[in-house]
Amino acid sequence: MIIVDEEQFACEVYPNPFNNTLSLNIICEKAEEIRIEFYNLLGRLKISEKVQLVAGENIRVVRTREWESGLYTYRLIGKENLIVGKVIKK
């Protein structure tokens, strides 16, 4: 996982590996709008959505029932922050 500034913006993605849902526990210092993106191994975009975060802890659940098994990368893109990581679907 790549985190630009862990003091202002952090994320825990669980479980990993996952089945039909994936949870993102996003912690941010101040309220902001971010974009959440997931890509499959071929680089195809699976999800892209804007999310308004509040200062503190934010939980976001991603439904992945239709996704094929394999490796996925995710990006959480804020105004000044970027988190990049990988997860595996069973």
Side-chain angles (χ1 to χ4, degrees):
M1 177 186 315
I2 298 169
I3 301 175
V4 173
D5 188 345
E6 191 170 326
E7 291 182 14
Q8 292 184 14
F9 196 64
C11 181
E12 178 185 7
V13 180
Y14 59 92
N16 190 14
F18 64 96
N19 286 314
N20 294 323
T21 60
L22 188 60
S23 297
L24 291 82
N25 183 9
I26 306 164
I27 299 171
C28 58
E29 190 176 89
K30 57 185 177 182
E32 73 173 288
E33 184 178 85
I34 66 164
R35 178 168 294 282
I36 299 173
E37 299 176 342
F38 277 86
Y39 296 86
N40 67 13
L41 193 56
L42 299 174
R44 292 193 180 114
L45 184 64
K46 299 298 288 183
I47 289 179
S48 177
E49 61 184 23
K50 288 184 180 179
V51 176
Q52 182 62 49
L53 302 178
V54 297
E57 187 175 15
N58 299 264
I59 303 290
R60 185 76 181 167
V61 176
V62 178
R63 309 249 181 259
T64 62
R65 182 176 300 264
E66 292 80 29
W67 296 12
E68 296 179 6
S69 297
L71 181 67
Y72 292 85
T73 59
Y74 62 87
R75 296 173 22 166
L76 281 69
I77 306 162
K79 289 181 182 178
E80 299 176 6
N81 299 291
L82 171 68
I83 296 177
V84 178
K86 297 178 182 177
V87 290
I88 298 172
K89 174 150 187 193
K90 293 182 188 180

